[in-house]
Amino acid sequence: MKKNPQPGPRPRDPDPSPDPARWRILAVLLTTIFMSLIGVSIVNVALPSIQVSLGATQSDIQWVLSGYALTFGVVLVAAGRAGDLMGRGGIFLIGVTLFTAASIAAGFAPDARWLNAARFIQGIGSGLLNPQGLGMIQQYFRGAERGRAFGYFGTIVGFSVAIGPVLGGVLIELGGSDLGWRLTFLVNVPIGFLVLFLGFKWFPRPLIRALSRTADAAGPQGQSGWRTLDPVGSALLGLAVLAILFPFMESRTSPLTWLMLPTGLLLTAIWVIWERRMARKGYSPMVDLAIFSTSSFTNGVLIMSLYFLGMTSIWVLVALYVQEGLGMSALQSGLFGIPAALLSSWAADWAGRRVMQFGRRIVIGGLWLAVIGLALSILVIYLEEHNLASVWWLMLTLSFVGLAQGSVISPNQTLTLMDVPLDYAGSSGAIMQTGQRIGTSVGIAMITAAVFGSLALTSWPRATMIGFGFIILVILLALGVAWKDLHDRERLRAGADR
């Protein structure tokens, strides 16, 4: 009986002849990413209209955002493993179908409960399709081409973030307070149908493989069929992520909600024990924990988690500062991020083409750009408070943040997944995305709490500067991990040369 593939340090995956359909497959993946990110960024602009149109409470509006993020994070790793075993293309198209159907349901929602139910389903659909996208880039691209593919991925991310708020504002302006916000969901529908058509046309067959007993999946007692998906491990990790994320999303309801956090950590420990037991007995675990012995993967996941813990809060603080602190409109608030998002698109493409040449140094440079941009933004806010500069200078200083995003996210994905066995490409990419979701939720909760706590003692400008200061500290931690990874790679290379 064959043992499970061990994702520790090992020779690279063989480099077979490139699949001639790989660029068409990438086009489908990028179109879908564009759809899902547009759906996220548009919703942020539409929230006030939704609240007025549906008579929604503040809690209802919070769950329009949180419900999507919660289900997205819960299903990620299980969906990634399902794609590894059953076929990434088929699981991807199932996710697109769910996301598109939920967009239709959200667009025609008669009340807030219906809308939030649709957002939960949207999150599941997005959680199904996202790890398949990363896994398929791993599957169909090698070497420098993989870096370019991830660079295009980052370009689409930056463009989507830039165009989303503007498109949302235009749709709400054209459709009015009731129809406008509905159009922000329905705009996903034609893109979803296009993706389904092209996916069915271009994705290799079979789209879905039957789960059957195989040498890799079968344990000593005959693990076969759906059991190869490790349903116990999937349930444990899903519940752990739910318990960890929920307090940061709904902590204002009751302080007792925080009791879920230690429960989530306990469930994580139980999940680790279960996965180790599965691997020890020769079964196919949901996640082969030996992958964490690959330092490039572990360091990359930690870098990305810390990066999202800090950087995601920047745009939340900018929106709060310019709207609540300076009395500007939501549309004016959205304009501050356009140069940064466009530069992020350019930087992602630039970095993707050079990541195999410069490696981790690109990520380190990107993190330093983030620190510089945040420090300069603190200076602008200070000068604006004393009537020495216009707040619009933030468009320039936050451009460094955009360059940082393009130089960090896509290159880090390439470097993190470089030594991951192809059999675990989906679940490994999903682990990295789960770290991003947890980092985002924890960071927004903690940093906004620090800002609102500071408001009791000081002004909006100074509270925002405090928030940016906390983000700088988090990015410096990510820089420390990036330097460690660089030294680990150099040490391994020196050992291999001996």
Side-chain angles (χ1 to χ4, degrees):
M1 180 192 70
K2 244 190 213 176
K3 292 289 184 184
N4 299 319
Q6 294 300 312
R10 54 164 190 77
R12 299 276 174 84
D13 292 321
D15 194 3
S17 298
D19 191 312
R22 65 194 184 282
W23 293 108
R24 290 184 298 180
I25 292 169
L26 181 65
V28 175
L29 300 180
L30 296 184
T31 303
T32 308
I33 294 301
F34 176 79
M35 174 185 70
S36 62
L37 290 177
I38 282 286
V40 171
S41 56
I42 278 182
V43 169
N44 293 334
V45 176
L47 291 178
S49 298
I50 292 172
Q51 187 167 16
V52 172
S53 175
L54 298 182
T57 66
Q58 192 63 41
S59 178
D60 290 332
I61 292 300
Q62 172 70 21
W63 276 106
V64 171
L65 298 176
S66 300
Y68 175 92
L70 198 62
T71 52
F72 177 80
V74 165
V75 305
L76 267 174
V77 181
R81 186 56 179 154
D84 292 338
L85 291 172
M86 299 173 64
R88 299 183 181 102
I91 302 297
F92 181 89
L93 293 177
I94 291 171
V96 173
T97 301
L98 278 178
F99 188 92
T100 306
S103 296
I104 296 172
F108 290 98
D111 54 45
R113 288 187 180 181
W114 181 287
L115 176 60
N116 279 318
R119 289 288 285 169
F120 273 102
I121 297 170
Q122 261 193 332
I124 294 172
S126 192
L128 287 173
L129 67 89
N130 268 274
Q132 317 316 326
L134 293 178
M136 290 166 83
I137 291 176
Q138 289 284 96
Q139 179 178 346
Y140 292 107
F141 294 89
R142 295 288 187 277
E145 274 197 348
R146 184 181 290 173
R148 285 176 59 197
F150 275 122
Y152 294 143
F153 183 96
T155 298
I156 289 296
V157 169
F159 180 72
S160 303
V161 170
I163 200 67
V166 178
L167 178 60
V170 170
L171 290 174
I172 291 171
E173 187 72 23
L174 291 175
S177 60
D178 183 58
L179 178 60
W181 71 264
R182 297 181 187 277
L183 292 176
T184 64
F185 290 105
L186 295 175
V187 74
N188 297 322
V189 178
I191 303 175
F193 283 133
L194 174 64
V195 167
L196 289 171
F197 172 77
L198 295 178
F200 278 111
K201 183 178 179 181
W202 288 343
F203 282 1
R205 300 300 194 268
L207 291 171
I208 294 283
R209 297 188 299 269
L211 286 171
S212 59
R213 178 171 176 153
T214 65
D216 285 340
Q221 299 175 20
Q223 183 187 10
S224 60
W226 66 274
R227 294 188 181 183
T228 59
L229 290 174
D230 186 13
V232 174
S234 298
L236 284 171
L237 184 59
L239 289 171
V241 172
L242 174 64
I244 290 170
L245 287 179
F246 190 84
F248 292 99
M249 296 176 173
E250 195 66 9
S251 58
R252 288 173 294 180
T253 302
S254 169
L256 295 177
T257 307
W258 288 104
L259 293 176
M260 294 183 70
L261 190 56
T263 303
L265 297 176
L266 177 61
L267 286 169
T268 302
I270 295 172
W271 172 75
V272 169
I273 294 169
W274 173 263
E275 296 296 287
R276 285 177 175 169
R277 177 179 176 272
M278 291 280 288
R280 190 170 59 250
K281 293 198 170 187
Y283 292 115
S284 175
M286 174 185 167
V287 175
D288 192 333
L289 297 178
I291 198 171
F292 288 101
S293 67
T294 304
S295 62
S296 59
F297 177 77
T298 303
N299 291 337
V301 169
L302 188 53
I303 289 167
M304 196 53 56
S305 300
L306 287 169
Y307 179 86
F308 274 79
L309 191 150
M311 295 291 278
T312 312
S313 299
I314 291 176
W315 303 109
V316 176
L317 295 188
V318 169
L320 288 171
Y321 168 57
V322 301
Q323 291 182 67
E324 301 292 334
L326 302 180
M328 289 182 163
S329 69
L331 181 58
Q332 288 175 310
S333 171
L335 294 177
F336 282 89
I338 290 178
L342 295 176
L343 284 171
S344 171
S345 297
W346 174 83
D349 181 61
W350 182 91
R353 293 174 183 273
R354 294 163 177 80
V355 65
M356 303 306 293
Q357 179 182 356
F358 297 108
R360 185 59 73 187
R361 287 181 175 83
I362 287 183
V363 177
I364 291 172
L367 291 171
W368 276 118
L369 284 172
V371 172
I372 292 169
L374 286 163
L376 290 174
S377 296
I378 290 174
L379 177 61
V380 167
I381 294 171
Y382 175 83
L383 293 175
E384 193 281 333
E385 184 185 20
H386 293 84
N387 298 315
L388 297 174
S390 168
V391 70
W392 290 105
W393 279 102
L394 282 177
M395 294 181 76
L396 175 62
T397 61
L398 292 172
S399 294
F400 287 92
V401 173
L403 291 171
Q405 179 169 310
S407 304
V408 172
I409 296 177
S410 295
N412 189 72
Q413 288 174 330
T414 303
L415 296 168
T416 302
L417 300 175
M418 184 181 295
D419 296 312
V420 169
L422 192 55
D423 287 344
Y424 282 85
S427 55
S428 300
I431 290 171
M432 184 169 60
Q433 289 186 311
T434 301
Q436 294 174 13
R437 293 308 101 205
I438 293 174
T440 297
S441 299
V442 172
I444 288 176
M446 293 179 62
I447 292 170
T448 55
V451 169
F452 283 118
S454 302
L455 282 174
L457 303 172
T458 188
S459 62
W460 263 110
R462 298 196 179 189
T464 305
M465 286 190 281
I466 290 170
F468 279 1
F470 277 121
I471 296 172
I472 289 175
L473 292 177
V474 174
I475 299 305
L476 289 175
L477 289 176
L479 259 170
V481 180
W483 278 110
K484 175 183 180 299
D485 186 66
L486 178 64
H487 292 315
D488 287 347
R489 289 170 185 269
E490 291 176 345
R491 188 173 63 252
L492 286 171
R493 192 178 302 117
D497 291 340
R498 288 199 193 102

